[in-house]
Amino acid sequence: MTIPTLLNRYQMKVFETAFKKQYSVFQNAINYTILENGTSECYTYWPRGMISYQAKFNDCTALEESLVSILNLTPIKHGSEYKYTQKADVLANGGKTINEVCNFDDYSSSVSPFIDVYTTKDGAIVKMSLKSGGYLTSILFDVNGLKGPNKWGYDVFFMTLSKRDRNGSLEQKIYLTDEYCSIVEKGGRLPRTILQNKEKTEDNDFSLFWH
């Protein structure tokens, strides 16, 4: 194995470890907030084959504010440095998305009225849309911050909040998941690939549900 290949594998492992850390920290904080405050009406679900949203403004606002407080997130007012590849360019260059309907460009842009930008204590960037009311309840993790490469599926990951409705019934827990929307650039990995401890995202991984 060549030195560049080894370095690339090492870098991907670093991103994987950082993503797993952010995922665990945020999922635990979500669980805690719901248990303590009953803030449970902020999620995406799948009634009768059509993506829908249950995003009560008060609950979504309370959930985001709780995450900011618990995790000691620092708001970033400008956010002009935190730009990512637009969906059309990702797809044109061999990338893929789980759901063609999903649009990630508000998260890709430097400034959006729907998106709040924060930095974590360890330098990761987090973009959230929870307080926008009715907008897709989702979170972007840029585990490497400004260091780059700032590429979907490498150091940047897109996830939604879900109650995993498949058959007309909702689970009680809110899950941080990529079941409805996620996107990767060529060679990148879906959040589910990393969480399932798989080395590579395969073509058959691009389905709406993975549990």
Side-chain angles (χ1 to χ4, degrees):
M1 193 174 290
T2 65
I3 295 299
T5 299
L6 286 171
L7 290 174
N8 182 63
R9 287 172 63 90
Y10 171 76
Q11 188 63 76
M12 292 297 281
K13 192 67 176 179
V14 170
F15 294 154
E16 171 187 310
T17 301
F19 169 70
K20 285 183 175 179
K21 175 185 176 182
Q22 297 300 334
Y23 173 85
S24 177
V25 165
F26 271 78
Q27 182 66 72
N28 287 334
I30 290 168
N31 295 345
Y32 176 82
T33 298
I34 293 171
L35 180 64
E36 290 295 307
N37 304 325
T39 309
S40 60
E41 299 300 311
C42 187
Y43 55 85
T44 306
Y45 66 116
W46 186 260
R48 295 173 295 281
M50 180 180 294
I51 290 179
S52 188
Y53 315 106
Q54 180 67 27
K56 289 187 177 179
F57 180 78
N58 289 342
D59 276 26
C60 287
T61 297
L63 178 57
E64 181 171 329
E65 290 177 348
S66 178
L67 293 177
V68 171
S69 176
I70 293 171
L71 303 178
N72 196 23
L73 305 179
T74 302
I76 299 174
K77 297 300 183 183
H78 47 89
S80 58
E81 300 94 338
Y82 309 108
K83 296 184 289 186
Y84 309 104
T85 308
Q86 297 278 297
K87 175 183 174 181
D89 293 330
V90 170
L91 300 181
N93 287 285
K96 294 185 178 181
T97 180
I98 287 175
N99 189 338
E100 291 290 340
V101 175
C102 295
N103 190 329
F104 309 91
D105 290 348
D106 278 333
Y107 288 84
S108 303
S109 64
S110 58
V111 179
S112 169
F114 301 111
I115 310 298
D116 297 319
V117 185
Y118 304 92
T119 184
T120 67
K121 291 184 292 183
D122 52 4
I125 302 302
V126 178
K127 290 190 174 187
M128 291 192 277
S129 67
L130 305 187
K131 294 195 294 186
S132 57
Y135 194 78
L136 183 64
T137 54
S138 43
I139 300 177
L140 173 149
F141 298 103
D142 179 348
V143 299
N144 212 30
L146 287 177
K147 296 178 182 178
N150 293 333
K151 294 175 64 176
W152 300 102
Y154 287 77
D155 58 333
V156 182
F157 303 92
F158 186 91
M159 307 192 82
T160 62
L161 301 181
S162 164
K163 279 203 173 181
R164 290 183 181 163
D165 178 285
R166 291 174 175 78
N167 300 304
S169 60
L170 295 175
E171 298 183 29
Q172 293 304 307
K173 181 179 178 179
I174 291 180
Y175 296 90
L176 189 56
T177 179
D178 69 355
E179 285 182 325
Y180 303 111
C181 292
S182 202
I183 190 169
V184 296
E185 297 185 53
K186 186 177 181 179
R189 293 187 296 169
L190 290 168
R192 66 184 64 176
T193 303
I194 295 173
L195 296 175
Q196 292 176 323
N197 296 312
K198 295 169 60 176
E199 290 294 325
K200 183 180 179 181
T201 297
E202 305 289 349
D203 287 343
N204 59 7
D205 291 331
F206 288 88
S207 59
L208 282 174
F209 295 114
W210 56 281
H211 285 285

PDB file of all heavy atoms in Angstrom, residues 176-189:
ATOM      1  N   LEU A 176     -31.402  10.766  15.619  1.00  0.00           N
ATOM      2  CA  LEU A 176     -30.558  11.515  14.701  1.00  0.00           C
ATOM      3  C   LEU A 176     -30.136  10.527  13.622  1.00  0.00           C
ATOM      4  O   LEU A 176     -29.429   9.551  13.896  1.00  0.00           O
ATOM      5  CB  LEU A 176     -29.346  12.063  15.449  1.00  0.00           C
ATOM      6  CG  LEU A 176     -28.423  13.059  14.759  1.00  0.00           C
ATOM      7  CD1 LEU A 176     -29.196  14.273  14.277  1.00  0.00           C
ATOM      8  CD2 LEU A 176     -27.316  13.484  15.712  1.00  0.00           C
ATOM      9  N   THR A 177     -30.586  10.742  12.379  1.00  0.00           N
ATOM     10  CA  THR A 177     -30.446   9.714  11.354  1.00  0.00           C
ATOM     11  C   THR A 177     -30.259  10.325   9.969  1.00  0.00           C
ATOM     12  O   THR A 177     -30.546  11.510   9.760  1.00  0.00           O
ATOM     13  CB  THR A 177     -31.697   8.807  11.346  1.00  0.00           C
ATOM     14  OG1 THR A 177     -31.579   7.823  10.327  1.00  0.00           O
ATOM     15  CG2 THR A 177     -32.956   9.613  11.108  1.00  0.00           C
ATOM     16  N   ASP A 178     -29.803   9.511   9.022  1.00  0.00           N
ATOM     17  CA  ASP A 178     -29.732   9.948   7.627  1.00  0.00           C
ATOM     18  C   ASP A 178     -30.794   9.243   6.790  1.00  0.00           C
ATOM     19  O   ASP A 178     -30.673   9.144   5.578  1.00  0.00           O
ATOM     20  CB  ASP A 178     -28.335   9.706   7.039  1.00  0.00           C
ATOM     21  CG  ASP A 178     -28.006   8.224   6.868  1.00  0.00           C
ATOM     22  OD1 ASP A 178     -28.801   7.373   7.284  1.00  0.00           O
ATOM     23  OD2 ASP A 178     -26.934   7.917   6.309  1.00  0.00           O
ATOM     24  N   GLU A 179     -31.850   8.769   7.406  1.00  0.00           N
ATOM     25  CA  GLU A 179     -32.842   7.959   6.702  1.00  0.00           C
ATOM     26  C   GLU A 179     -33.557   8.698   5.585  1.00  0.00           C
ATOM     27  O   GLU A 179     -33.905   8.095   4.574  1.00  0.00           O
ATOM     28  CB  GLU A 179     -33.878   7.426   7.696  1.00  0.00           C
ATOM     29  CG  GLU A 179     -33.343   6.297   8.538  1.00  0.00           C
ATOM     30  CD  GLU A 179     -34.385   5.752   9.487  1.00  0.00           C
ATOM     31  OE1 GLU A 179     -35.208   6.544   9.974  1.00  0.00           O
ATOM     32  OE2 GLU A 179     -34.368   4.547   9.736  1.00  0.00           O
ATOM     33  N   TYR A 180     -33.812   9.975   5.738  1.00  0.00           N
ATOM     34  CA  TYR A 180     -34.617  10.696   4.754  1.00  0.00           C
ATOM     35  C   TYR A 180     -33.778  11.488   3.764  1.00  0.00           C
ATOM     36  O   TYR A 180     -34.105  11.566   2.585  1.00  0.00           O
ATOM     37  CB  TYR A 180     -35.591  11.634   5.467  1.00  0.00           C
ATOM     38  CG  TYR A 180     -36.476  10.912   6.434  1.00  0.00           C
ATOM     39  CD1 TYR A 180     -36.351  11.100   7.807  1.00  0.00           C
ATOM     40  CD2 TYR A 180     -37.434  10.008   5.976  1.00  0.00           C
ATOM     41  CE1 TYR A 180     -37.163  10.417   8.692  1.00  0.00           C
ATOM     42  CE2 TYR A 180     -38.236   9.320   6.862  1.00  0.00           C
ATOM     43  CZ  TYR A 180     -38.094   9.529   8.216  1.00  0.00           C
ATOM     44  OH  TYR A 180     -38.883   8.850   9.087  1.00  0.00           O
ATOM     45  N   CYS A 181     -32.740  12.115   4.262  1.00  0.00           N
ATOM     46  CA  CYS A 181     -31.918  12.978   3.413  1.00  0.00           C
ATOM     47  C   CYS A 181     -30.458  12.867   3.837  1.00  0.00           C
ATOM     48  O   CYS A 181     -30.146  12.962   5.022  1.00  0.00           O
ATOM     49  CB  CYS A 181     -32.339  14.444   3.551  1.00  0.00           C
ATOM     50  SG  CYS A 181     -33.967  14.833   2.887  1.00  0.00           S
ATOM     51  N   SER A 182     -29.595  12.675   2.869  1.00  0.00           N
ATOM     52  CA  SER A 182     -28.164  12.789   3.098  1.00  0.00           C
ATOM     53  C   SER A 182     -27.492  12.829   1.735  1.00  0.00           C
ATOM     54  O   SER A 182     -28.078  12.416   0.729  1.00  0.00           O
ATOM     55  CB  SER A 182     -27.630  11.624   3.937  1.00  0.00           C
ATOM     56  OG  SER A 182     -26.417  11.987   4.568  1.00  0.00           O
ATOM     57  N   ILE A 183     -26.274  13.327   1.705  1.00  0.00           N
ATOM     58  CA  ILE A 183     -25.589  13.511   0.434  1.00  0.00           C
ATOM     59  C   ILE A 183     -24.103  13.261   0.636  1.00  0.00           C
ATOM     60  O   ILE A 183     -23.551  13.561   1.711  1.00  0.00           O
ATOM     61  CB  ILE A 183     -25.837  14.944  -0.109  1.00  0.00           C
ATOM     62  CG1 ILE A 183     -25.330  15.078  -1.549  1.00  0.00           C
ATOM     63  CG2 ILE A 183     -25.264  16.006   0.799  1.00  0.00           C
ATOM     64  CD1 ILE A 183     -25.792  16.368  -2.225  1.00  0.00           C
ATOM     65  N   VAL A 184     -23.451  12.673  -0.369  1.00  0.00           N
ATOM     66  CA  VAL A 184     -22.012  12.436  -0.304  1.00  0.00           C
ATOM     67  C   VAL A 184     -21.375  12.811  -1.630  1.00  0.00           C
ATOM     68  O   VAL A 184     -21.969  12.629  -2.701  1.00  0.00           O
ATOM     69  CB  VAL A 184     -21.672  10.963   0.026  1.00  0.00           C
ATOM     70  CG1 VAL A 184     -22.165  10.588   1.407  1.00  0.00           C
ATOM     71  CG2 VAL A 184     -22.238  10.015  -1.019  1.00  0.00           C
ATOM     72  N   GLU A 185     -20.181  13.353  -1.559  1.00  0.00           N
ATOM     73  CA  GLU A 185     -19.402  13.570  -2.769  1.00  0.00           C
ATOM     74  C   GLU A 185     -18.712  12.265  -3.149  1.00  0.00           C
ATOM     75  O   GLU A 185     -18.651  11.317  -2.358  1.00  0.00           O
ATOM     76  CB  GLU A 185     -18.400  14.699  -2.540  1.00  0.00           C
ATOM     77  CG  GLU A 185     -19.105  16.025  -2.254  1.00  0.00           C
ATOM     78  CD  GLU A 185     -18.177  17.215  -2.133  1.00  0.00           C
ATOM     79  OE1 GLU A 185     -17.369  17.420  -3.058  1.00  0.00           O
ATOM     80  OE2 GLU A 185     -18.289  17.937  -1.123  1.00  0.00           O
ATOM     81  N   LYS A 186     -18.221  12.192  -4.364  1.00  0.00           N
ATOM     82  CA  LYS A 186     -17.609  10.964  -4.862  1.00  0.00           C
ATOM     83  C   LYS A 186     -16.521  10.482  -3.905  1.00  0.00           C
ATOM     84  O   LYS A 186     -15.639  11.235  -3.525  1.00  0.00           O
ATOM     85  CB  LYS A 186     -17.019  11.203  -6.245  1.00  0.00           C
ATOM     86  CG  LYS A 186     -16.480   9.949  -6.905  1.00  0.00           C
ATOM     87  CD  LYS A 186     -15.979  10.226  -8.309  1.00  0.00           C
ATOM     88  CE  LYS A 186     -15.469   8.961  -8.975  1.00  0.00           C
ATOM     89  NZ  LYS A 186     -14.992   9.224 -10.357  1.00  0.00           N
ATOM     90  N   GLY A 187     -16.625   9.202  -3.510  1.00  0.00           N
ATOM     91  CA  GLY A 187     -15.659   8.627  -2.586  1.00  0.00           C
ATOM     92  C   GLY A 187     -15.989   8.829  -1.124  1.00  0.00           C
ATOM     93  O   GLY A 187     -15.309   8.288  -0.250  1.00  0.00           O
ATOM     94  N   GLY A 188     -17.053   9.616  -0.830  1.00  0.00           N
ATOM     95  CA  GLY A 188     -17.440   9.871   0.551  1.00  0.00           C
ATOM     96  C   GLY A 188     -18.293   8.766   1.131  1.00  0.00           C
ATOM     97  O   GLY A 188     -18.693   7.831   0.436  1.00  0.00           O
ATOM     98  N   ARG A 189     -18.598   8.891   2.406  1.00  0.00           N
ATOM     99  CA  ARG A 189     -19.382   7.872   3.093  1.00  0.00           C
ATOM    100  C   ARG A 189     -20.596   8.496   3.770  1.00  0.00           C
ATOM    101  O   ARG A 189     -20.521   9.584   4.345  1.00  0.00           O
ATOM    102  CB  ARG A 189     -18.527   7.153   4.138  1.00  0.00           C
ATOM    103  CG  ARG A 189     -17.411   6.328   3.516  1.00  0.00           C
ATOM    104  CD  ARG A 189     -16.690   5.504   4.558  1.00  0.00           C
ATOM    105  NE  ARG A 189     -16.012   6.349   5.523  1.00  0.00           N
ATOM    106  CZ  ARG A 189     -15.488   5.890   6.655  1.00  0.00           C
ATOM    107  NH1 ARG A 189     -15.585   4.613   6.959  1.00  0.00           N
ATOM    108  NH2 ARG A 189     -14.871   6.701   7.479  1.00  0.00           N
TER     109      ARG A 189
END
